[in-house]
Amino acid sequence: MLALAAGTLLGGCRRATPEATPARSTLEKIRATGIITLGHRDNSIPFSYFDDQQHVVGYAQDIALAIVEEIKTELGRRNLSVKLVPVTSQTRIPLLLNDTIDLECETTTNNASRQRQVAFSINYFASGTQFLVRRDSGIQDIDDLRDKNVIVSAGTTAEIALRKLDHERGLGLRIIAARDHGDAFAALEFGKAVAFMSDGAILYGEISKARNPLDWHVVGTPLTTEIYACAMRKNDPTFKALVDATITRMIGNGDMRRLYQRWFQSPIPPRQVNLNVPLDAAMQTLFEHPNDRPLP
C-alpha cells in the first residue's frame, strides 16, 4: 500500500493554474464523495465494452478495477462506490479535465501532445495502426486505397496519421470520421468504406462482431505505433504513483500476462470468439521494461 503524502491530503486549497497542483487531489475528491468515477467505452472489444448482460468488461476495464481495489485499500474505504461514465475519443480528455471522471484506462495513446493536457500511467499496451478489409477486396496496404473511402474513429491518433499520409502521398482518400469504433465497423460492413483504419488490436476486436468473421482480415504495414496508458489529471503525483504502482505490480506478478491471455487469446463474451492476437515483441518489451514514456 502506498503512503499518502501529508501535504497532499492536509494542505490548504489553492486556486488551480495549468501548472499548479490542483486545489483538491483526486484521492481527496474520492475520499470526500465516496465515489470513484471511471470512464469506459461501450463498444471497444476487447478493451472495454458491454457484454450481453450490459456489464462493462474487458482488458482495460479489468486494469481499471484493479486500480479501484488499490484506491479502496489506500483510503481504508472498502465501501467506495464505482461510477461508470461512457466516453468516446472526443470526450475522454474533456471529461477528465472538468472532473466528471477520475480515471480513463481504455485505448488512449500516451503521446507528447496529450501529455500537455493530462498525465499518463505506466504503459500497458502496444499496437500498430493497420486496416480492416474484406478478404476478397484485394487490398493489402495503404497504396491500394487510392481514391477510395476509408473510415476512422473521430478524434483518434489513427485519424490524424491517415490525414497526414493522405496529404503527403496525394492518395485522394475520402476519409470518413465515425463516432467510435463500433460505428466505424458498422459503416464498413454496410459498404460505406472499403477499409477501417485503427490499432490492430481494436480491429481484431471488431472482427469478433461481424456477421461472418471469416469475411474480414487485418492488413497493411503498421503505419504508426500506439502505446496505451491510463489517463488522469495532471499535477497529482500521489494519485499517479498509486496507479503506476498497481500497473507495475500487475506486470511484475504476471497478472497482466494473464489478462492478455484472457482477453486476446481465449474465447470472450458475448459470442465466445477467440481473437487469437499473438503477444508480439512490442508487448514483450512493455512487460519486461515497464515505463510511462510517451510517443513523440
Side-chain angles (χ1 to χ4, degrees):
M1 184 172 70
L2 298 176
L4 293 176
T8 302
L9 289 180
L10 302 177
C13 293
R14 301 187 299 274
R15 181 179 298 277
T17 68
E19 299 301 323
T21 300
R24 183 170 66 165
S25 73
T26 302
L27 288 175
E28 285 179 305
K29 175 178 179 284
I30 294 167
R31 183 192 293 277
T33 63
I35 300 170
I36 170 74
T37 307
L38 304 177
H40 75 89
R41 296 296 190 98
D42 58 9
N43 205 13
S44 187
I45 297 174
F47 292 93
S48 177
Y49 64 100
F50 285 117
D51 66 9
D52 51 1
Q53 303 298 313
Q54 289 300 292
H55 298 139
V56 181
V57 297
Y59 177 84
Q61 182 68 9
D62 281 351
I63 294 170
L65 293 177
I67 295 167
V68 167
E69 289 305 306
E70 184 63 32
I71 292 169
K72 289 180 177 180
T73 299
E74 184 62 50
L75 297 180
R77 296 281 297 275
R78 302 307 305 173
N79 62 343
L80 279 181
S81 297
V82 179
K83 181 179 179 181
L84 301 179
V85 174
V87 300
T88 66
S89 299
Q90 301 101 308
T91 65
R92 54 193 169 185
I93 290 179
L95 290 177
L96 269 173
L97 296 179
N98 70 14
D99 282 0
T100 299
I101 62 175
D102 300 314
L103 186 70
E104 192 255 2
C105 298
E106 307 302 333
T107 56
T108 301
T109 299
N110 176 9
N111 61 29
S113 174
R114 287 178 177 154
Q115 285 214 354
R116 290 194 286 269
Q117 297 178 282
V118 295
F120 284 96
S121 70
I122 295 292
N123 301 314
Y124 60 76
F125 199 84
S127 186
T129 48
Q130 295 178 275
F131 298 98
L132 178 58
V133 300
R134 289 190 178 275
R135 286 187 181 275
D136 60 4
S137 68
I139 295 168
Q140 294 298 322
D141 218 325
I142 188 169
D143 288 330
D144 300 321
L145 297 171
R146 188 176 296 275
D147 299 322
K148 292 180 172 62
N149 289 3
V150 181
I151 197 158
V152 293
S153 298
T156 60
T157 52
E159 179 186 9
I160 295 168
L162 187 60
R163 293 190 186 280
K164 182 174 184 288
L165 283 168
D166 180 42
H167 176 73
E168 290 175 349
R169 299 190 188 183
L171 296 171
L173 302 179
R174 293 181 289 274
I175 299 172
I176 303 168
R179 184 184 71 91
D180 60 18
H181 307 319
D183 287 352
F185 181 62
L188 183 67
E189 276 201 301
F190 279 109
K192 293 183 179 180
V194 299
F196 170 26
M197 179 180 174
S198 189
D199 306 347
I202 291 172
L203 298 179
Y204 283 106
E206 295 306 310
I207 290 175
S208 75
K209 305 174 188 176
R211 289 185 288 273
N212 185 356
L214 294 179
D215 288 347
W216 303 92
H217 67 162
V218 176
V219 300
T221 304
L223 297 174
T224 64
T225 299
E226 307 299 327
I227 301 292
Y228 301 162
C230 295
M232 65 203 88
R233 284 177 286 277
K234 286 174 68 70
N235 304 311
D236 194 347
T238 303
F239 188 61
K240 175 172 163 52
L242 183 150
V243 174
D244 284 351
T246 305
I247 294 174
T248 300
R249 184 180 67 250
M250 293 176 72
I251 292 173
N253 67 14
D255 282 352
M256 201 71 78
R257 288 178 183 267
R258 285 185 282 274
L259 282 184
Y260 190 95
Q261 292 169 351
R262 165 73 180 89
W263 292 104
F264 292 94
Q265 297 177 329
S266 305
I268 60 173
R271 298 174 62 187
Q272 301 307 309
V273 173
N274 188 336
L275 303 184
N276 286 312
V277 182
L279 187 70
D280 62 15
M283 285 296 294
Q284 290 279 14
T285 299
L286 279 186
F287 289 163
E288 291 168 6
H289 306 285
N291 68 85
D292 64 356
R293 290 191 297 272
L295 295 173

